[in-house]
Amino acid sequence: MRLIFIGFGTVGQGLAELLLKKKDELFSKYGIDYSVVGIADKLKGSILDPQGIDLAAALKVVQSGGYLYELSSKKFEGEALEMITAVDAEVMFEATYTDIKTGEPATSHIRNALERNMNVVTTNKGPLALYYQELAELAREKKVKFLFEGTVMSGTPVLNLLRETLAGSTVKEVKGILNGTTNYILTRMEEGLSYDDALKKAQELGYAEAVPDADVLGWDALAKVTILAKVIFGAKERPFDFPCEGITGISAADIFEAKSRNKRFKLIGKIWREGSITKASVGPEEVDLSHPLAGIMGATNAITITSYELGDVTVVGPGAGKFETGFSMLVDFINIARE
Ligand code: HSE
C-alpha cells in the first residue's frame, strides 16, 4: 500500500510512530506492507518520493524542529492539493487542522483524493460535519473507502461500532462527553488549577485544537454531535444549526459551589429524534455525582448510545491525544488494507 500524509502535526506523527512500531506485526498478522510516498505539511515542508520515504528519518527531522525537505532532494514545491493530484497512492491520511466553519482545506484534499480513486482516512471534523453525505457518496461512486473513526472520541470505537457492530439497530438517542480538552480543564480546575494553566496543559498534551477556542466554546463537541447526527440519522443540518454553549462561562467558584450540592459540570453533547426531526445540542450540564458521566475525568470521553434493541450501550475511552487519535487512523487503515 502506498500512503501519503497530508498534515504531519501531532496526529500525523502519532500515526507515523505507530506504523513504524507495528510494521512487522502489520505484515505478520494482516499481510499488510506499506510505503510512505508523500508527506505534505504547511509548516514542516513537503516531500514526494515514489521510491518511498524513510518515515523514521522524517519523524526525527520534524521532531528536532527541522523541515522535511532536509531529508532528501525530493522536496515538493507545491501545495498539498498539488501533491494529491500528482501522486500515485492507495491511501491518503488527512490530518490537517479542523475548521468547522468552512471545512477547508481538508474538504478539498479529501474530495480530490477520492476523485483520484484513493482511499481516505481522516480525523478532520470539518469535512464530515459539513459535507459527510457528499463525500460518502463520492467514495461509493469511486468504490473506495472513506473512514473517519478518529473524528469522534479519537481511537475509542464509536463510528466503526455504529457501522459494523451495531448495524441493524435503531438508535433513539446518543449522549455523552465528546470533548477531551474541556473535560480535562474542568477536572483540573476542580483540583485547584486555574483555567489558563489547565488549558495550557491540555495544549501541551496535544488534546486541544490548533485554535483552542474551538474546544472551550463547544464547537469541537458540536462538530462531533453533527457528525453523529449525519451518520446515524442522515441529518442535513450544519453544525451551527444546533444550539451550542461552551465552558467559558463556568468559574472555579461555580465548580466548587456545584460540588457542595453533589453536582459536577460536564459539557454534554446530545442527539435525539423528535418524530422525523433530528435534534442536537451541546452545553454544560450539572450532572449528579452519582451519575456515571460525573465520574468521567480528564481527557476521557464517554458516549451512551440508546437503541430500541439494546437500550443503553456506553463506551468510555480516550477522547483526544497524539497516539489515541493516531491509533484511530491505524484501525481505519487496517480495515481498508484487509479488504
Ligand atoms: N480537541 C479535541 C478534544 C481533539 O479535545 O477532544 C479530539 O477531537
Side-chain angles (χ1 to χ4, degrees):
M1 307 284 284
R2 290 168 298 178
L3 317 177
I4 58 167
F5 283 68
I6 305 298
F8 204 57
T10 307
V11 173
Q13 290 174 42
L15 170 66
E17 287 184 41
L18 288 169
L19 281 172
L20 283 170
K21 194 169 147 201
K22 292 178 181 282
K23 192 165 177 55
D24 294 342
E25 190 184 330
L26 285 174
F27 189 69
S28 62
K29 257 187 160 168
Y30 307 110
I32 300 170
D33 197 9
Y34 68 83
S35 160
V36 176
V37 293
I39 307 177
D41 189 278
K42 224 174 168 47
L43 301 174
K44 301 172 187 76
S46 302
I47 44 175
L48 179 66
D49 187 349
Q51 301 311 312
I53 290 161
D54 180 343
L55 196 54
L59 277 168
K60 201 165 163 207
V61 77
V62 296
Q63 288 173 359
S64 53
Y67 294 99
L68 284 164
Y69 47 75
E70 288 167 26
L71 273 185
S72 68
S73 55
K74 308 290 181 189
K75 179 173 179 176
F76 186 78
E77 300 280 357
E79 296 281 325
L81 208 51
E82 292 165 57
M83 182 183 289
I84 296 165
T85 316
V87 75
D88 282 320
E90 279 72 44
V91 183
M92 174 181 84
F93 295 116
E94 215 291 347
T96 60
Y97 63 92
T98 284
D99 180 334
I100 74 156
K101 287 198 168 154
T102 67
E104 293 296 352
T107 304
S108 298
H109 297 158
I110 294 171
R111 205 179 273 132
N112 277 273
L114 293 172
E115 288 284 1
R116 295 206 62 229
N117 297 88
M118 258 182 252
N119 298 281
V120 171
V121 174
T122 188
T123 54
N124 203 310
K125 287 149 274 192
L128 274 304
L130 292 164
Y131 304 110
Y132 164 69
Q133 275 96 352
E134 178 208 318
L135 297 172
E137 181 53 41
L138 180 57
R140 264 193 299 275
E141 195 185 296
K142 295 288 176 183
K143 298 187 171 51
V144 291
K145 289 268 182 196
F146 174 43
L147 297 178
F148 44 91
E149 178 60 54
T151 56
V152 180
M153 283 175 66
S154 68
T156 305
V158 176
L159 295 166
N160 290 334
L161 178 83
L162 281 162
R163 193 183 46 248
E164 308 286 339
T165 322
L166 293 179
S169 67
T170 303
V171 176
K172 248 201 273 194
E173 184 191 82
V174 173
K175 174 177 172 169
I177 296 170
L178 297 172
N179 179 266
T181 302
T182 48
N183 206 52
Y184 179 85
I185 292 173
L186 293 172
T187 301
R188 299 304 306 265
M189 281 174 76
E190 192 178 317
E191 290 165 6
L193 217 64
S194 72
Y195 171 87
D196 288 337
D197 286 346
L199 173 57
K200 207 164 143 236
K201 197 88 192 122
Q203 287 176 294
E204 280 165 23
L205 290 165
Y207 303 149
E209 296 300 301
V211 181
D213 286 5
D215 293 294
V216 297
L217 297 175
W219 300 358
D220 174 77
L222 180 66
K224 292 163 179 167
V225 152
T226 312
I227 294 169
L228 289 165
K230 286 183 185 300
V231 170
I232 299 172
F233 295 133
K236 298 282 187 299
E237 280 82 356
R238 294 160 77 91
F240 292 97
D241 292 337
F242 298 121
C244 175
E245 191 189 330
I247 62 157
T248 46
I250 303 172
S251 66
D254 294 332
I255 290 174
F256 292 115
E257 193 276 326
K259 201 146 181 220
S260 72
R261 290 183 286 107
N262 285 324
K263 303 274 186 192
R264 184 173 275 146
F265 279 102
K266 291 291 175 194
L267 187 68
I268 303 290
K270 283 190 258 190
I271 308 115
W272 70 101
R273 292 283 262 187
E274 282 181 16
S276 60
I277 299 171
T278 302
K279 299 274 190 171
S281 69
V282 170
E285 286 183 18
E286 281 188 20
V287 177
D288 205 89
L289 283 184
S290 61
H291 190 280
L293 286 182
I296 307 298
M297 303 301 268
T300 303
N301 282 187
I303 198 168
T304 299
I305 300 163
T306 310
S307 67
Y308 288 95
E309 295 77 11
L310 296 179
D312 289 354
V313 172
T314 299
V315 184
V316 178
K322 177 178 177 178
F323 294 110
E324 293 83 346
T325 314
F327 175 72
S328 73
M329 297 187 109
L330 181 73
V331 171
D332 285 344
F333 170 52
I334 291 173
N335 283 326
I336 288 169
R338 281 164 117 181
E339 286 194 24

